[in-house]
Amino acid sequence: MDIVLLGAPGAGKGTQAELLAEWLSLPTVSSGVLFREAMDAGTPLGRRAKEFIDRGELVPDEVTVDMIAERLSRPDCANGVILDGFPRTVAQARALEDLLGRMGRQVDVVAYIEVPTEVLLQRLSGRWTCSQCGAVYHETFNPEAVEGVCDSCGGKLVQREDDTPEVQRRRIEVYNERTAPLIAYYREQGILSEVDGDQGVEAVQHDLRAVIHAARS
Ligand code: ADP
Ligand code: AMP
């Protein structure tokens, strides 16, 4: 199964993708995580992406699509993937159709996680990420057991450089301009399911599983 998680920055895509991955035994493919890995490694891709990420802008489509194409070609993606943060533009959605089409696949379900803007800002400003395994926490809504230490791997928790108030606001604007049109795009294809993301992590996961279950049968 190929699943797209759609939603604004802070909607909970990364958090939910990890839980779905465990349930479905599928890999998560997160464009944001792949860019951050490339930035940490200081590769040419990472240096290129950083220029855009630091400002809250989208990385150009061709750079992003090439990175995702390479990731999807690996053997662990052969039975399907959970996409988090990709596609983010209509051009990326079309490129994804081509990529999956060449493998005899298609997007089976797009789960749109809907969260009001004021909640997004609260979530982004309290987000802490493990510097080693990438696990995501929130200082109020989903805190770690020992302050500053990842529950899963013991790594140090850090705040993302693009989680400053100014960049957060820009990312939400960019989402509204460039990514929100995908809601109508996928609705027209009849594969969009809406999930109320303004609930606790477990309730959102429950609703996502129901939507995926319905799409499978
Ligand atoms: P996205 O990948 O969509 O940007 P994240 O999964 O990183 O979003 O979540 C953003 C922040 O909100 C994190 O700090 C996370 O712990 C927190 N969070 C995620 N889901 C929920 C939820 N349902 N309720 C409250 N906080 C949440
Ligand atoms: P995320 O981890 O999903 O919040 O993404 C962090 C940043 O990476 C975004 O603000 C963008 O600058 C960049 N990015 C992630 N995914 C994409 C994408 N599909 N297209 C373009 N830029 C992206």
Side-chain angles (χ1 to χ4, degrees), residues 31-33 35-36 52-53 56-59 64 84-88 92 127 160 162 171:
S31 39
V33 167
F35 283 134
R36 282 187 289 282
F52 299 91
I53 292 175
E57 304 296 333
L58 294 185
V59 178
T64 307
D84 154 23
F86 182 91
R88 256 174 158 100
Q92 291 181 14
R127 170 161 65 186
R160 275 170 48 175
D162 61 343
R171 278 156 57 211

PDB file of all heavy atoms in Angstrom, residues 31-33 35-36 52-53 56-59 64 84-88 92 127 160 162 171, ligand 2:
ATOM      1  N   SER A  31      10.441  13.436   3.421  1.00  0.00           N
ATOM      2  CA  SER A  31      11.364  14.323   2.696  1.00  0.00           C
ATOM      3  C   SER A  31      12.116  15.221   3.671  1.00  0.00           C
ATOM      4  O   SER A  31      13.315  15.457   3.491  1.00  0.00           O
ATOM      5  CB  SER A  31      10.615  15.140   1.638  1.00  0.00           C
ATOM      6  OG  SER A  31       9.360  15.552   2.116  1.00  0.00           O
ATOM      7  N   GLY A  32      11.431  15.695   4.721  1.00  0.00           N
ATOM      8  CA  GLY A  32      12.104  16.550   5.700  1.00  0.00           C
ATOM      9  C   GLY A  32      13.252  15.819   6.392  1.00  0.00           C
ATOM     10  O   GLY A  32      14.352  16.363   6.561  1.00  0.00           O
ATOM     11  N   VAL A  33      13.015  14.551   6.787  1.00  0.00           N
ATOM     12  CA  VAL A  33      14.069  13.758   7.444  1.00  0.00           C
ATOM     13  C   VAL A  33      15.234  13.541   6.478  1.00  0.00           C
ATOM     14  O   VAL A  33      16.400  13.696   6.840  1.00  0.00           O
ATOM     15  CB  VAL A  33      13.508  12.402   7.950  1.00  0.00           C
ATOM     16  CG1 VAL A  33      14.626  11.459   8.345  1.00  0.00           C
ATOM     17  CG2 VAL A  33      12.545  12.617   9.113  1.00  0.00           C
ATOM     18  N   PHE A  35      16.159  15.399   3.960  1.00  0.00           N
ATOM     19  CA  PHE A  35      16.917  16.656   3.815  1.00  0.00           C
ATOM     20  C   PHE A  35      17.785  16.908   5.050  1.00  0.00           C
ATOM     21  O   PHE A  35      18.942  17.320   4.925  1.00  0.00           O
ATOM     22  CB  PHE A  35      15.971  17.846   3.599  1.00  0.00           C
ATOM     23  CG  PHE A  35      15.406  17.950   2.208  1.00  0.00           C
ATOM     24  CD1 PHE A  35      14.051  18.197   2.007  1.00  0.00           C
ATOM     25  CD2 PHE A  35      16.226  17.828   1.087  1.00  0.00           C
ATOM     26  CE1 PHE A  35      13.527  18.303   0.723  1.00  0.00           C
ATOM     27  CE2 PHE A  35      15.712  17.931  -0.199  1.00  0.00           C
ATOM     28  CZ  PHE A  35      14.357  18.173  -0.377  1.00  0.00           C
ATOM     29  N   ARG A  36      17.229  16.670   6.246  1.00  0.00           N
ATOM     30  CA  ARG A  36      18.022  16.936   7.462  1.00  0.00           C
ATOM     31  C   ARG A  36      19.215  15.988   7.544  1.00  0.00           C
ATOM     32  O   ARG A  36      20.303  16.398   7.960  1.00  0.00           O
ATOM     33  CB  ARG A  36      17.146  16.846   8.727  1.00  0.00           C
ATOM     34  CG  ARG A  36      16.292  18.103   8.925  1.00  0.00           C
ATOM     35  CD  ARG A  36      15.561  18.123  10.244  1.00  0.00           C
ATOM     36  NE  ARG A  36      14.466  17.173  10.315  1.00  0.00           N
ATOM     37  CZ  ARG A  36      13.270  17.357   9.745  1.00  0.00           C
ATOM     38  NH1 ARG A  36      13.004  18.460   9.076  1.00  0.00           N
ATOM     39  NH2 ARG A  36      12.327  16.444   9.857  1.00  0.00           N
ATOM     40  N   PHE A  52      17.024  26.831   1.341  1.00  0.00           N
ATOM     41  CA  PHE A  52      15.570  26.995   1.312  1.00  0.00           C
ATOM     42  C   PHE A  52      14.963  26.694   2.682  1.00  0.00           C
ATOM     43  O   PHE A  52      14.092  27.413   3.154  1.00  0.00           O
ATOM     44  CB  PHE A  52      14.963  26.065   0.243  1.00  0.00           C
ATOM     45  CG  PHE A  52      15.469  26.383  -1.132  1.00  0.00           C
ATOM     46  CD1 PHE A  52      16.602  25.752  -1.639  1.00  0.00           C
ATOM     47  CD2 PHE A  52      14.844  27.353  -1.901  1.00  0.00           C
ATOM     48  CE1 PHE A  52      17.091  26.072  -2.901  1.00  0.00           C
ATOM     49  CE2 PHE A  52      15.320  27.675  -3.162  1.00  0.00           C
ATOM     50  CZ  PHE A  52      16.449  27.039  -3.666  1.00  0.00           C
ATOM     51  N   ILE A  53      15.429  25.624   3.315  1.00  0.00           N
ATOM     52  CA  ILE A  53      14.843  25.177   4.585  1.00  0.00           C
ATOM     53  C   ILE A  53      15.017  26.244   5.662  1.00  0.00           C
ATOM     54  O   ILE A  53      14.086  26.525   6.420  1.00  0.00           O
ATOM     55  CB  ILE A  53      15.466  23.822   5.001  1.00  0.00           C
ATOM     56  CG1 ILE A  53      15.004  22.743   4.019  1.00  0.00           C
ATOM     57  CG2 ILE A  53      15.113  23.459   6.450  1.00  0.00           C
ATOM     58  CD1 ILE A  53      15.616  21.383   4.208  1.00  0.00           C
ATOM     59  N   GLY A  56      12.291  28.678   5.405  1.00  0.00           N
ATOM     60  CA  GLY A  56      10.915  28.172   5.435  1.00  0.00           C
ATOM     61  C   GLY A  56      10.312  28.015   4.054  1.00  0.00           C
ATOM     62  O   GLY A  56       9.098  27.846   3.908  1.00  0.00           O
ATOM     63  N   GLU A  57      11.164  28.092   3.021  1.00  0.00           N
ATOM     64  CA  GLU A  57      10.676  27.923   1.642  1.00  0.00           C
ATOM     65  C   GLU A  57      10.767  26.449   1.253  1.00  0.00           C
ATOM     66  O   GLU A  57      11.488  25.671   1.892  1.00  0.00           O
ATOM     67  CB  GLU A  57      11.535  28.743   0.673  1.00  0.00           C
ATOM     68  CG  GLU A  57      11.620  30.227   0.995  1.00  0.00           C
ATOM     69  CD  GLU A  57      10.272  30.950   0.895  1.00  0.00           C
ATOM     70  OE1 GLU A  57       9.405  30.484   0.126  1.00  0.00           O
ATOM     71  OE2 GLU A  57      10.097  31.962   1.594  1.00  0.00           O
ATOM     72  N   LEU A  58      10.079  26.086   0.173  1.00  0.00           N
ATOM     73  CA  LEU A  58      10.195  24.709  -0.314  1.00  0.00           C
ATOM     74  C   LEU A  58      11.484  24.551  -1.113  1.00  0.00           C
ATOM     75  O   LEU A  58      11.880  25.454  -1.862  1.00  0.00           O
ATOM     76  CB  LEU A  58       9.009  24.354  -1.222  1.00  0.00           C
ATOM     77  CG  LEU A  58       7.637  24.303  -0.562  1.00  0.00           C
ATOM     78  CD1 LEU A  58       6.596  23.825  -1.572  1.00  0.00           C
ATOM     79  CD2 LEU A  58       7.630  23.393   0.663  1.00  0.00           C
ATOM     80  N   VAL A  59      12.103  23.404  -0.985  1.00  0.00           N
ATOM     81  CA  VAL A  59      13.247  23.038  -1.827  1.00  0.00           C
ATOM     82  C   VAL A  59      12.676  22.833  -3.242  1.00  0.00           C
ATOM     83  O   VAL A  59      11.549  22.323  -3.391  1.00  0.00           O
ATOM     84  CB  VAL A  59      13.900  21.739  -1.279  1.00  0.00           C
ATOM     85  CG1 VAL A  59      15.060  21.296  -2.159  1.00  0.00           C
ATOM     86  CG2 VAL A  59      14.359  21.957   0.166  1.00  0.00           C
ATOM     87  N   THR A  64      13.870  17.773  -5.019  1.00  0.00           N
ATOM     88  CA  THR A  64      13.092  16.950  -4.086  1.00  0.00           C
ATOM     89  C   THR A  64      12.660  15.640  -4.754  1.00  0.00           C
ATOM     90  O   THR A  64      12.779  14.559  -4.169  1.00  0.00           O
ATOM     91  CB  THR A  64      11.855  17.755  -3.617  1.00  0.00           C
ATOM     92  OG1 THR A  64      12.300  19.008  -3.115  1.00  0.00           O
ATOM     93  CG2 THR A  64      11.089  17.014  -2.545  1.00  0.00           C
ATOM     94  N   ASP A  84       5.609  11.037   4.172  1.00  0.00           N
ATOM     95  CA  ASP A  84       5.387  12.123   5.135  1.00  0.00           C
ATOM     96  C   ASP A  84       6.087  13.378   4.608  1.00  0.00           C
ATOM     97  O   ASP A  84       7.309  13.404   4.500  1.00  0.00           O
ATOM     98  CB  ASP A  84       5.957  11.669   6.494  1.00  0.00           C
ATOM     99  CG  ASP A  84       6.379  12.823   7.394  1.00  0.00           C
ATOM    100  OD1 ASP A  84       5.883  13.946   7.222  1.00  0.00           O
ATOM    101  OD2 ASP A  84       7.217  12.579   8.291  1.00  0.00           O
ATOM    102  N   GLY A  85       5.295  14.374   4.222  1.00  0.00           N
ATOM    103  CA  GLY A  85       5.888  15.635   3.753  1.00  0.00           C
ATOM    104  C   GLY A  85       6.162  15.670   2.254  1.00  0.00           C
ATOM    105  O   GLY A  85       6.698  16.655   1.751  1.00  0.00           O
ATOM    106  N   PHE A  86       5.823  14.648   1.554  1.00  0.00           N
ATOM    107  CA  PHE A  86       5.928  14.575   0.093  1.00  0.00           C
ATOM    108  C   PHE A  86       4.683  13.863  -0.429  1.00  0.00           C
ATOM    109  O   PHE A  86       4.340  12.823   0.131  1.00  0.00           O
ATOM    110  CB  PHE A  86       7.185  13.804  -0.329  1.00  0.00           C
ATOM    111  CG  PHE A  86       7.359  13.741  -1.834  1.00  0.00           C
ATOM    112  CD1 PHE A  86       8.091  14.706  -2.491  1.00  0.00           C
ATOM    113  CD2 PHE A  86       6.763  12.729  -2.574  1.00  0.00           C
ATOM    114  CE1 PHE A  86       8.228  14.674  -3.880  1.00  0.00           C
ATOM    115  CE2 PHE A  86       6.889  12.694  -3.959  1.00  0.00           C
ATOM    116  CZ  PHE A  86       7.633  13.670  -4.606  1.00  0.00           C
ATOM    117  N   PRO A  87       4.020  14.373  -1.467  1.00  0.00           N
ATOM    118  CA  PRO A  87       4.295  15.589  -2.224  1.00  0.00           C
ATOM    119  C   PRO A  87       3.816  16.844  -1.498  1.00  0.00           C
ATOM    120  O   PRO A  87       2.931  16.782  -0.646  1.00  0.00           O
ATOM    121  CB  PRO A  87       3.486  15.379  -3.499  1.00  0.00           C
ATOM    122  CG  PRO A  87       2.331  14.527  -3.084  1.00  0.00           C
ATOM    123  CD  PRO A  87       2.846  13.627  -2.006  1.00  0.00           C
ATOM    124  N   ARG A  88       4.414  17.994  -1.847  1.00  0.00           N
ATOM    125  CA  ARG A  88       4.042  19.283  -1.268  1.00  0.00           C
ATOM    126  C   ARG A  88       3.628  20.284  -2.345  1.00  0.00           C
ATOM    127  O   ARG A  88       3.289  21.415  -2.002  1.00  0.00           O
ATOM    128  CB  ARG A  88       5.234  19.859  -0.521  1.00  0.00           C
ATOM    129  CG  ARG A  88       5.148  19.737   1.013  1.00  0.00           C
ATOM    130  CD  ARG A  88       6.463  20.225   1.564  1.00  0.00           C
ATOM    131  NE  ARG A  88       6.459  20.656   2.906  1.00  0.00           N
ATOM    132  CZ  ARG A  88       6.890  19.925   3.942  1.00  0.00           C
ATOM    133  NH1 ARG A  88       7.265  18.681   3.782  1.00  0.00           N
ATOM    134  NH2 ARG A  88       6.930  20.456   5.137  1.00  0.00           N
ATOM    135  N   GLN A  92       4.932  17.913  -7.744  1.00  0.00           N
ATOM    136  CA  GLN A  92       5.466  16.734  -7.026  1.00  0.00           C
ATOM    137  C   GLN A  92       4.443  15.598  -7.022  1.00  0.00           C
ATOM    138  O   GLN A  92       4.816  14.416  -7.139  1.00  0.00           O
ATOM    139  CB  GLN A  92       5.830  17.098  -5.585  1.00  0.00           C
ATOM    140  CG  GLN A  92       7.027  18.029  -5.463  1.00  0.00           C
ATOM    141  CD  GLN A  92       7.383  18.362  -4.018  1.00  0.00           C
ATOM    142  OE1 GLN A  92       6.913  17.717  -3.073  1.00  0.00           O
ATOM    143  NE2 GLN A  92       8.218  19.366  -3.840  1.00  0.00           N
ATOM    144  N   ARG A 127       8.137  21.724  19.958  1.00  0.00           N
ATOM    145  CA  ARG A 127       8.635  20.452  19.403  1.00  0.00           C
ATOM    146  C   ARG A 127      10.120  20.251  19.724  1.00  0.00           C
ATOM    147  O   ARG A 127      10.931  21.143  19.549  1.00  0.00           O
ATOM    148  CB  ARG A 127       8.440  20.450  17.884  1.00  0.00           C
ATOM    149  CG  ARG A 127       9.139  19.271  17.200  1.00  0.00           C
ATOM    150  CD  ARG A 127       8.600  18.991  15.832  1.00  0.00           C
ATOM    151  NE  ARG A 127       8.842  20.047  14.879  1.00  0.00           N
ATOM    152  CZ  ARG A 127       8.347  20.054  13.631  1.00  0.00           C
ATOM    153  NH1 ARG A 127       7.575  19.063  13.221  1.00  0.00           N
ATOM    154  NH2 ARG A 127       8.602  21.035  12.813  1.00  0.00           N
ATOM    155  N   ARG A 160      14.602  22.056  16.266  1.00  0.00           N
ATOM    156  CA  ARG A 160      14.989  22.245  14.870  1.00  0.00           C
ATOM    157  C   ARG A 160      15.292  23.707  14.594  1.00  0.00           C
ATOM    158  O   ARG A 160      14.610  24.588  15.094  1.00  0.00           O
ATOM    159  CB  ARG A 160      13.851  21.766  13.959  1.00  0.00           C
ATOM    160  CG  ARG A 160      13.903  20.282  13.697  1.00  0.00           C
ATOM    161  CD  ARG A 160      12.679  19.764  13.019  1.00  0.00           C
ATOM    162  NE  ARG A 160      12.251  20.532  11.855  1.00  0.00           N
ATOM    163  CZ  ARG A 160      11.240  20.160  11.074  1.00  0.00           C
ATOM    164  NH1 ARG A 160      10.592  19.034  11.325  1.00  0.00           N
ATOM    165  NH2 ARG A 160      10.880  20.887  10.048  1.00  0.00           N
ATOM    166  N   ASP A 162      14.721  25.309  11.991  1.00  0.00           N
ATOM    167  CA  ASP A 162      13.645  25.989  11.266  1.00  0.00           C
ATOM    168  C   ASP A 162      12.379  26.084  12.119  1.00  0.00           C
ATOM    169  O   ASP A 162      11.313  26.384  11.599  1.00  0.00           O
ATOM    170  CB  ASP A 162      13.367  25.313   9.906  1.00  0.00           C
ATOM    171  CG  ASP A 162      12.928  23.862  10.031  1.00  0.00           C
ATOM    172  OD1 ASP A 162      13.122  23.254  11.106  1.00  0.00           O
ATOM    173  OD2 ASP A 162      12.392  23.324   9.045  1.00  0.00           O
ATOM    174  N   ARG A 171       6.560  28.934   6.969  1.00  0.00           N
ATOM    175  CA  ARG A 171       6.254  27.571   6.497  1.00  0.00           C
ATOM    176  C   ARG A 171       4.751  27.351   6.383  1.00  0.00           C
ATOM    177  O   ARG A 171       4.281  26.679   5.464  1.00  0.00           O
ATOM    178  CB  ARG A 171       6.898  26.528   7.422  1.00  0.00           C
ATOM    179  CG  ARG A 171       8.361  26.317   7.049  1.00  0.00           C
ATOM    180  CD  ARG A 171       9.185  25.791   8.186  1.00  0.00           C
ATOM    181  NE  ARG A 171       8.683  24.565   8.720  1.00  0.00           N
ATOM    182  CZ  ARG A 171       8.808  24.219   9.995  1.00  0.00           C
ATOM    183  NH1 ARG A 171       9.412  24.995  10.840  1.00  0.00           N
ATOM    184  NH2 ARG A 171       8.347  23.066  10.391  1.00  0.00           N
TER     185      ARG A 171
HETATM  186  P1  AMP B   2       9.375  18.919   7.370  1.00  0.00           P
HETATM  187  O1  AMP B   2      10.356  18.076   8.131  1.00  0.00           O
HETATM  188  O2  AMP B   2       8.373  18.114   6.600  1.00  0.00           O
HETATM  189  O3  AMP B   2       8.726  19.972   8.254  1.00  0.00           O
HETATM  190  O4  AMP B   2      10.227  19.699   6.272  1.00  0.00           O
HETATM  191  C1  AMP B   2      11.223  20.631   6.636  1.00  0.00           C
HETATM  192  C2  AMP B   2      11.577  21.513   5.455  1.00  0.00           C
HETATM  193  O5  AMP B   2      12.148  20.716   4.402  1.00  0.00           O
HETATM  194  C3  AMP B   2      10.393  22.238   4.778  1.00  0.00           C
HETATM  195  O6  AMP B   2      10.050  23.468   5.426  1.00  0.00           O
HETATM  196  C4  AMP B   2      10.951  22.471   3.362  1.00  0.00           C
HETATM  197  O7  AMP B   2      11.860  23.560   3.338  1.00  0.00           O
HETATM  198  C5  AMP B   2      11.748  21.184   3.118  1.00  0.00           C
HETATM  199  N1  AMP B   2      10.901  20.140   2.493  1.00  0.00           N
HETATM  200  C6  AMP B   2      10.464  18.984   3.062  1.00  0.00           C
HETATM  201  N2  AMP B   2       9.719  18.281   2.205  1.00  0.00           N
HETATM  202  C7  AMP B   2       9.678  19.001   1.052  1.00  0.00           C
HETATM  203  C8  AMP B   2       9.043  18.813  -0.205  1.00  0.00           C
HETATM  204  N3  AMP B   2       8.284  17.740  -0.455  1.00  0.00           N
HETATM  205  N4  AMP B   2       9.219  19.766  -1.152  1.00  0.00           N
HETATM  206  C9  AMP B   2       9.979  20.842  -0.934  1.00  0.00           C
HETATM  207  N5  AMP B   2      10.591  21.094   0.244  1.00  0.00           N
HETATM  208  C10 AMP B   2      10.435  20.186   1.235  1.00  0.00           C
END
